[in-house]
């Protein structure tokens, strides 16, 4: 590696043809892309983040476009397969250390994660952001979204200080 890694390795097969791409963030705040032989991907423009990337890099395909989603301690970045910015957010978004980033395939689709204080953030692919708070959580909380009850809607799941909190898509506490 050109720099010591700061994030886990992410492996993607964009077109399901075994043409794997390995993405990793370096301590130099650069995002690197390699092919399965370890060579730098041709055409890749190393993307620089403002802070250190410590969590995994995510990949989503929405309306035929690929989005690599990267988070550091201050921002979320949406780039394309070549390392170019794909989406500019209309307001700042910060992902909590213990938050997953999930694609919600609604109309319109969005990416959801929690902020360090537990604020839920839906990021839409036009750059708009919708934020709301269900309750205050510590900076050490865990967050995910999953259809727990099989109703076709994802429930918001938090774990904080040893307590599990579950909210439905209408923001009503289940338990």
């Amino acid at each position: 590696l050109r720099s010591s890694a700061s994030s886990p390795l992410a492996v993607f097969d964009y077109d399901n043809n075994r043409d794997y791409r390995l993405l990793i963030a370096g301590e130099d705040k650069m995002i690197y892309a390699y092919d399965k032989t370890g060579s730098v991907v041709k055409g890749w423009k190393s993307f620089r983040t403002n802070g250190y990337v410590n969590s995994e890099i995510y990949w989503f395909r929405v309306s035929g476009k690929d989005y690599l989603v990267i988070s550091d301690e201050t921002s979320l970045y949406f780039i394309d397969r070549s390392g170019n910015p794909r989406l500019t957010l209309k307001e700042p978004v910060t992902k909590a250390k213990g938050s997953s980033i999930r694609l919600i395939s609604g109309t319109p689709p969005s990416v959801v994660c929690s902020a360090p204080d537990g604020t839920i953030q839906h990021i839409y692919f036009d750059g708009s952001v919708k934020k709301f708070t269900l309750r205050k959580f510590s900076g050490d909380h865990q967050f995910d979204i999953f259809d727990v009850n099989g109703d076709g809607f994802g429930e918001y799941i938090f774990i904080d200080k040893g307590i599990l909190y579950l909210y439905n898509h209408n923001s009503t506490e289940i338990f």
Side-chain angles (χ1 to χ4, degrees), residues 75-78 87-93 123-124 127-129:
S75 303
L76 236 58
Y77 307 91
F78 289 75
L87 179 64
T88 302
L89 302 182
K90 295 179 180 173
E91 63 181 280
V93 173
I123 301 106
Y124 296 91
S128 63
V129 179

Side-chain angles (χ1 to χ4, degrees), residues 7 12 14 24 64 67 76 107 117 134 155 170:
S7 74
F12 304 119
Y14 300 125
I24 194 159
Y67 294 84
L76 236 58
T107 305
D117 67 355
L134 299 172
E155 281 71 49
N170 293 325

Side-chain angles (χ1 to χ4, degrees), residues 30-67:
M30 300 294 286
I31 306 299
Y32 296 99
Y34 301 96
D35 63 21
K36 63 185 174 184
T37 68
S39 299
V40 174
V41 171
K42 290 179 182 171
W44 176 259
K45 297 175 184 148
S46 294
F47 183 82
R48 180 179 293 278
T49 60
N50 291 326
Y52 294 101
V53 176
N54 296 312
S55 60
E56 65 187 284
I57 298 170
Y58 292 84
W59 166 64
F60 303 109
R61 181 170 290 152
V62 177
S63 301
K65 293 181 179 178
D66 293 309
Y67 294 84

Side-chain angles (χ1 to χ4, degrees), residues 36-175:
K36 63 185 174 184
T37 68
S39 299
V40 174
V41 171
K42 290 179 182 171
W44 176 259
K45 297 175 184 148
S46 294
F47 183 82
R48 180 179 293 278
T49 60
N50 291 326
Y52 294 101
V53 176
N54 296 312
S55 60
E56 65 187 284
I57 298 170
Y58 292 84
W59 166 64
F60 303 109
R61 181 170 290 152
V62 177
S63 301
K65 293 181 179 178
D66 293 309
Y67 294 84
L68 294 167
V69 183
I70 303 158
S71 65
D72 63 18
E73 60 267 349
T74 62
S75 303
L76 236 58
Y77 307 91
F78 289 75
I79 63 175
D80 66 15
R81 287 190 199 189
S82 299
N84 297 309
R86 166 126 6 231
L87 179 64
T88 302
L89 302 182
K90 295 179 180 173
E91 63 181 280
V93 173
T94 304
K95 182 184 87 64
K97 183 178 177 185
S99 175
S100 293
I101 298 176
R102 300 287 182 217
L103 177 64
I104 307 300
S105 56
T107 305
S110 66
V111 169
V112 66
C113 65
S114 69
D117 67 355
T119 299
I120 296 172
Q121 306 166 113
H122 282 268
I123 301 106
Y124 296 91
F125 293 91
D126 65 356
S128 63
V129 179
K130 177 184 167 192
K131 298 179 182 183
F132 59 94
T133 302
L134 299 172
R135 73 169 19 200
K136 274 287 206 212
F137 290 100
S138 76
D140 293 328
H141 75 272
Q142 304 288 313
F143 171 80
D144 209 339
I145 185 167
F146 183 75
D147 185 5
V148 175
N149 61 10
D151 66 355
F153 298 100
E155 281 71 49
Y156 301 109
I157 305 163
F158 288 89
I159 300 174
D160 194 25
K161 298 180 182 175
I163 300 173
L164 173 71
Y165 300 88
L166 185 68
Y167 297 86
N168 70 17
H169 67 280
N170 293 325
S171 305
T172 306
E173 187 175 271
I174 298 173
F175 66 83

